[in-house]
Amino acid sequence: VASDTRDRLIKATGRLLRSHGYAGTGLNQVTAEAKAPRGSMYFHFPGGKEELAAAALDRFADRVTQRLEERLASSSTVADAVAGYFDDVAAVLERRRFADGCAVGTVSLEASPTHDALADATRRALQTWTKLFADALEAEGRSPDEAHGLATVVVAAIEGSLVVAKGQRSVDPVVTIGDTLRPLLQPPNA
Amino acid sequence: VASDTRDRLIKATGRLLRSHGYAGTGLNQVTAEAKAPRGSMYFHFPGGKEELAAAALDRFADRVTQRLEERLASSSTVADAVAGYFDDVAAVLERRRFADGCAVGTVSLEASPTHDALADATRRALQTWTKLFADALEAEGRSPDEAHGLATVVVAAIEGSLVVAKGQRSVDPVVTIGDTLRPLLQPPNA
């Protein structure tokens, strides 16, 4: 049915954005991977590639938000949740031989400055993740300013860990960054 | 003369990689921006676009290394040098309206996993920068392990700050990250 096609287009685009970025994602490849007729793309996304990519970024961001919420809910401290998330990042990079990653991070660097709809999507994602960590850090007794500062560092460290790991084809930096940041995130009264 | 053309090709490619990434950098655009005849590209870079991009990454990395060395030499602590470098990053992003950035970071995310020559260049750059900070942190009295861990965080935080700033079209996160990391970098005996 039609909505399945839409869904497959969004999922295929998300996968391609994570490994090749926006400029490197071709519409022929999207429709081939989604097993969708070429015409279906413009039926579901009249705005073309940019509208489809923005929808894929929103979908990807929601999935990451859900995983972060699960990690925070199942960990006794934010420090534990962040450490666990760095483990997840390392596992995904190894399993996919560094061809996977964060669609939001890749698009932020190579396309969002020149594409308004993409910038709206990357901004929404980064603000949502930062607020999620900031709220959790405030709940541990930090001031709003301190919580926001640390949350910004956590999101930047996750994105930066993908850069240094993919750029060196090694997960060692991800583990090192997780371990080194841990003391910074210890709850104030622990 | 010929070496001028080679130089202009490398510089134009570096600029394009920083704003559009590897897939988004077209050879027509490179030769147009370099004011070089199309044939000169294959004369100087018989390996084509990937060889040219690897040379541009090496050139860009050398320039960043030089600036980091200058910052470290003119600052009384590594913490000051890093804070100064975050100020530089924020200034460049504002001046170029987020269209500038780090060629190594962008290519690491969208192209190095699938292009061996690019991965060699991004690895060299990231290892050089990490070692530069690690050596300076060791000179301040940290153990090699601690220095390496903190240096890895600094490089990832710089790269990650570009992601979150460009993705939100705001330099606020760069300033926040610089301020928040500062205590982590204070010399052990200060």
Side-chain angles (χ1 to χ4, degrees):
Chain A
V1 299
S3 69
D4 278 349
T5 306
R6 187 175 191 280
D7 208 60
R8 288 202 310 275
L9 288 167
I10 289 176
K11 278 186 188 155
T13 304
R15 276 195 305 273
L16 289 165
L17 288 178
R18 296 206 294 284
S19 11
H20 304 294
Y22 181 71
T25 293
L27 291 181
N28 288 333
Q29 213 180 343
V30 169
T31 46
E33 290 213 6
K35 301 192 200 315
R38 178 73 190 242
S40 65
M41 219 279 298
Y42 287 98
F43 174 76
H44 291 290
F45 301 96
K49 184 179 166 185
E50 188 167 354
E51 186 186 352
L52 170 59
L57 287 171
D58 284 342
R59 172 80 60 97
F60 173 80
D62 285 347
R63 226 183 50 201
V64 170
T65 302
Q66 211 176 335
R67 280 198 208 153
L68 292 174
E69 281 170 344
E70 283 163 12
R71 274 279 173 201
L72 285 165
S74 65
S75 307
S76 54
T77 61
V78 179
D80 283 346
V82 171
Y85 196 75
F86 275 110
D87 290 343
D88 294 345
V89 168
V92 168
L93 287 176
E94 280 209 308
R95 193 166 61 235
R96 298 283 326 276
R97 290 169 173 267
F98 304 99
D100 211 320
C102 175
V104 169
T106 306
V107 171
S108 288
L109 291 185
E110 49 98 41
S112 75
T114 45
H115 296 79
D116 290 347
L118 302 181
D120 288 342
T122 53
R123 182 186 296 111
R124 271 193 297 275
L126 293 163
Q127 286 180 347
T128 302
W129 300 337
T130 306
K131 186 171 183 329
L132 194 65
F133 284 116
D135 288 349
L137 287 159
E138 265 199 75
E140 281 185 348
R142 312 233 179 209
S143 74
D145 273 5
E146 206 187 352
H148 175 75
L150 287 173
T152 306
V153 164
V154 168
V155 173
I158 292 170
E159 295 294 348
S161 76
L162 286 164
V163 171
V164 298
K166 292 178 77 163
Q168 296 177 85
R169 294 190 185 170
S170 164
V171 296
D172 293 350
V174 180
V175 178
T176 303
I177 292 163
D179 290 348
T180 308
L181 281 185
R182 191 173 244 289
L184 200 66
L185 298 173
Q186 283 314 314
N189 310 317
Chain B
V1 298
S3 68
D4 278 352
T5 306
R6 188 175 189 279
D7 207 62
R8 288 202 309 275
L9 287 167
I10 289 177
K11 278 186 189 157
T13 304
R15 277 196 305 274
L16 290 165
L17 288 178
R18 296 206 294 283
S19 11
H20 304 294
Y22 182 70
T25 293
L27 291 180
N28 288 332
Q29 213 180 344
V30 169
T31 46
E33 289 214 5
K35 300 191 200 319
R38 178 75 189 238
S40 65
M41 219 278 299
Y42 288 97
F43 174 76
H44 291 290
F45 301 96
K49 183 180 166 185
E50 188 167 355
E51 185 186 353
L52 170 59
L57 288 171
D58 284 343
R59 172 79 61 95
F60 173 80
D62 284 348
R63 225 183 50 200
V64 170
T65 302
Q66 211 176 335
R67 281 200 208 152
L68 292 174
E69 282 171 343
E70 283 163 12
R71 273 280 174 200
L72 286 165
S74 66
S75 307
S76 53
T77 61
V78 179
D80 283 346
V82 171
Y85 196 75
F86 276 110
D87 290 343
D88 293 346
V89 167
V92 168
L93 288 176
E94 280 209 308
R95 193 167 62 236
R96 298 283 325 278
R97 291 169 173 268
F98 304 99
D100 211 320
C102 176
V104 169
T106 306
V107 171
S108 288
L109 291 185
E110 50 98 43
S112 74
T114 45
H115 295 78
D116 290 347
L118 302 181
D120 287 342
T122 53
R123 183 186 296 113
R124 271 194 297 275
L126 294 163
Q127 287 180 345
T128 302
W129 301 337
T130 306
K131 186 171 181 336
L132 194 65
F133 285 116
D135 288 349
L137 287 159
E138 265 199 75
E140 281 185 349
R142 312 232 180 210
S143 74
D145 274 4
E146 205 186 354
H148 175 74
L150 287 172
T152 306
V153 165
V154 167
V155 174
I158 292 170
E159 296 294 348
S161 75
L162 287 164
V163 171
V164 298
K166 292 178 79 162
Q168 297 177 84
R169 294 189 185 171
S170 164
V171 296
D172 293 350
V174 180
V175 178
T176 303
I177 292 163
D179 289 348
T180 308
L181 280 185
R182 192 172 244 289
L184 200 65
L185 299 173
Q186 283 314 313
N189 309 316

